[in-house]
Amino acid sequence: MTALRLDIEYDGAAFLGWAEQPGERTVEGVLRDALDVVFRSRPAIRVAGRTDSGVHASGQVASIVVPDGLSEAEPVRLRRSLAGLLPQDVAVRNVTVMPDGFDARGDATSRVYDYRLLVGPPSPLRRDRTLRHLGRPLDRAALDACAAMAVGQHDFRAFTPTETNHTFFHRTMIECAWRDDGDEWVLRLEANAFLRHMVRVLVGTMLECGRGRRDTESFRALLEGAPRSDAGITAPPHGLTLVAVRY
């Protein structure tokens, strides 16, 4: 058997997340439908990060295992075949033959997300890619302080739903920082792994600090295993993009 790496990009607006669900339009579902046509079977897919409904990806990675006997040109043909079978809001950008046993999820060392906040005038072309800030100006220093606090190993249970399958809530945040990108503020987060909704609750809570609704020291306390009820709102999904997976 041969392991293949699929580098995937998608617009999450019209998908009910990554994971295949009966009767629902999901990224995994349409990808498996396309692979079924190519291989006449529905191969199991391992994905680096299971994105939620409405979340986008420019650097998603998945792996599949297919029968041996691929020629050197086969990955290119597979990419072209998938391009003709997949809908316009998802694409396999590259196919790579990997060493035996490659697992897109298990072998990943970190995932990288961007959350984009529009602080300028309305932008119709970016309405599905950015969260537009309304109201009085945000305290950027407070946002920067919260982001800096999140770096390192913490108990992030305050930033994931109370009803969860997770039993271990410590994650190591490698990078968490706001940067300017024209009239957008972009939060870049890299961690060894993320809890469900973790990025969006972090963003929502940071924005409450930026609006003066909570102080930054209360944000620090959330990183010590506080309950979900102590943290802020869950930011909308459309501002979030999975941009890279590290191996």
Side-chain angles (χ1 to χ4, degrees):
M1 302 296 283
T2 300
L4 297 178
R5 167 176 168 159
L6 311 180
D7 290 271
I8 307 167
E9 178 179 314
Y10 49 86
D11 177 343
F15 288 107
L16 195 70
W18 166 270
E20 187 170 24
Q21 302 177 52
E24 302 292 351
R25 188 173 189 266
T26 68
V27 182
E28 183 182 25
V30 299
L31 179 58
R32 290 188 71 192
D33 287 345
L35 290 169
D36 191 5
V37 173
V38 175
F39 293 108
R40 298 183 181 180
S41 66
R42 294 175 70 81
I45 301 174
R46 293 280 290 173
V47 70
R50 299 187 187 100
T51 52
D52 292 328
S53 178
V55 176
H56 314 293
S58 59
Q60 179 69 279
V61 179
S63 56
I64 61 174
V65 177
V66 298
D68 287 333
L70 294 180
S71 68
E72 291 184 6
E74 196 69 25
V76 175
R77 286 199 292 266
L78 174 57
R79 178 179 59 78
R80 290 174 178 170
S81 296
L82 292 173
L85 293 166
L86 289 167
Q88 292 185 345
D89 49 1
V90 58
V92 173
R93 302 276 294 170
N94 196 37
V95 179
T96 310
V97 177
M98 301 297 289
D100 290 346
F102 172 71
D103 182 335
R105 187 172 186 83
D107 292 344
T109 58
S110 67
R111 290 87 173 159
V112 186
Y113 285 89
D114 279 353
Y115 197 98
R116 309 189 77 90
L117 181 68
L118 179 64
V119 294
S123 173
L125 293 179
R126 289 176 283 167
R127 69 187 184 280
D128 292 331
R129 295 288 184 280
T130 61
L131 173 64
R132 186 180 174 225
H133 169 65
L134 300 172
R136 65 181 184 180
L138 291 166
D139 182 346
R140 176 61 180 269
L143 295 181
D144 290 338
C146 290
M149 291 176 193
V151 175
Q153 186 180 80
H154 304 285
D155 185 332
F156 285 98
R157 75 184 64 213
F159 301 97
T160 194
T162 301
E163 294 183 4
T164 177
N165 292 325
H166 293 294
T167 57
F168 181 72
F169 298 91
H170 284 80
R171 298 293 186 271
T172 300
M173 189 74 75
I174 300 164
E175 178 183 4
C176 187
W178 291 91
R179 72 178 189 275
D180 297 322
D181 185 7
D183 61 354
E184 296 178 17
W185 292 354
V186 184
L187 180 65
R188 167 64 58 89
L189 308 98
E190 179 177 359
N192 63 334
F194 289 89
L195 302 167
R196 183 167 177 258
H197 293 177
M198 177 175 156
V199 173
R200 292 165 56 200
V201 182
L202 280 167
V203 170
T205 309
M206 288 184 193
L207 290 178
E208 290 185 3
C209 291
R211 291 170 177 140
R213 297 175 184 171
R214 65 171 68 222
D215 60 59
T216 54
E217 284 308 306
S218 71
F219 183 89
R220 188 189 302 276
L222 296 173
L223 298 166
E224 299 174 359
R228 172 66 185 90
S229 57
D230 287 0
I233 63 170
T234 304
H238 64 273
L240 183 60
T241 301
L242 172 62
V243 298
V245 181
R246 315 285 194 206
Y247 291 94

